[in-house]
Amino acid sequence: MNDYFPRPGTASVPVLRLGDVLLITLQGDLHDGMAARLQQDVAEAIVRHRVAGVVIDITGVEIVDSFLGRILAEIAAHAKLLAAQTVVAGMRPAVALTLVELGLTLPGLRTALSTEAALELLGRPDAARSGGPHRDPR
């Protein structure tokens, strides 16, 4: 089952549930208010739906500054405390270089080149192919 969690009446980042994984797609700039709402939305969705993983797709992000790096690290830290793994997908080479130049190590974050690869890292290969939750054939 796929669920979409927009926060009504506010500019927010959509959080999509694919089985036991949350998918967040960042596009453009993320200002302070949106970042705080995103952190809260992700933490609440992890607990409400008992998800095991969070994929943050940053393919649409052209520039990462220390603010966005900190937000990604904080989301990963919150998720880890709530027993979920976080994978950042779709990082552009320029973004990776910027993160290194800024000295941001992003503890608790794993990376993948694509959303599909991120889902596979989380052990959800069926979700990567079909868009649905992983089903154990046993």
Side-chain angles (χ1 to χ4, degrees), residues 1 3 6 37 44 52 82 107 109 113 117 126 129 137:
M1 168 181 258
D3 294 319
R37 278 191 294 277
E44 289 174 0
L82 297 171
L109 280 176
L113 293 177
D126 291 344
R129 284 191 290 279

Side-chain angles (χ1 to χ4, degrees), residues 59 80 122 128 132:
T59 305
K80 185 175 182 178
L122 292 171

Side-chain angles (χ1 to χ4, degrees), residues 37-120:
R37 278 191 294 277
L38 177 60
Q39 289 175 317
Q40 183 176 354
D41 290 348
V42 170
E44 289 174 0
I46 289 170
V47 172
R48 184 180 325 119
H49 301 290
R50 298 179 185 189
V51 299
V54 176
V55 174
I56 304 172
D57 183 346
I58 63 169
T59 305
V61 175
E62 294 188 27
I63 299 172
V64 171
D65 57 9
S66 59
F67 172 73
L68 182 55
R70 182 176 54 83
I71 295 304
L72 293 174
E74 287 177 3
I75 289 172
H78 295 154
K80 185 175 182 178
L81 287 172
L82 297 171
Q85 299 176 55
T86 302
V87 180
V88 172
M91 187 177 302
R92 297 171 187 229
V95 170
L97 291 171
T98 301
L99 289 173
V100 170
E101 289 171 359
L102 291 172
L104 297 174
T105 58
L106 303 178
L109 280 176
R110 293 168 42 186
T111 59
L113 293 177
S114 67
T115 300
E116 293 81 10
L119 291 168
E120 288 180 9

